[in-house]
Amino acid sequence: MPEALVDVRWFIEGSEDEQMDQDDAVKVMGGVAHVVSTLSSDQQQELIALLGAMAAAETNPARREFLEKFPEGFGPIDDPS
């Protein structure tokens, strides 16, 4: 699941305005944010850990930075660090 969430957000954020309808992009991002917000605290922590592992293994610097900042994009994730 984390890979799919990351790929959706990576695609949307990397798309030019001409490539994707902005209203559709907002709807999809809202759906992703909703899924993340419904996770329990333990599930959120597991997601953060998985994202950290994905970032550590990523060889593309831009995608690594994106992965490191991914949880910040949804605000209410409880990051204990």
Side-chain angles (χ1 to χ4, degrees):
M1 178 180 113
E3 294 87 359
L5 292 175
V6 168
D7 287 344
V8 165
R9 192 161 163 219
W10 176 256
F11 174 77
I12 290 172
E13 290 190 14
S15 295
E16 299 293 326
D17 289 346
E18 301 82 37
Q19 293 175 307
M20 175 171 274
D21 180 80
Q22 292 304 300
D23 290 335
D24 290 340
V26 169
K27 288 177 190 175
V28 171
M29 292 300 289
V32 171
H34 174 73
V35 168
V36 172
S37 73
T38 62
L39 297 175
S40 70
S41 181
D42 289 343
Q43 290 171 320
Q44 289 180 4
Q45 295 312 311
E46 184 177 339
L47 176 59
I48 290 169
L50 288 168
L51 291 167
M54 290 170 65
E58 182 58 57
T59 58
N60 177 329
R63 188 164 168 102
R64 183 181 319 110
E65 181 179 354
F66 172 81
L67 287 164
E68 291 169 346
K69 293 181 178 180
F70 189 90
E72 296 170 17
F74 297 111
I77 291 183
D78 302 322
D79 187 353
S81 56

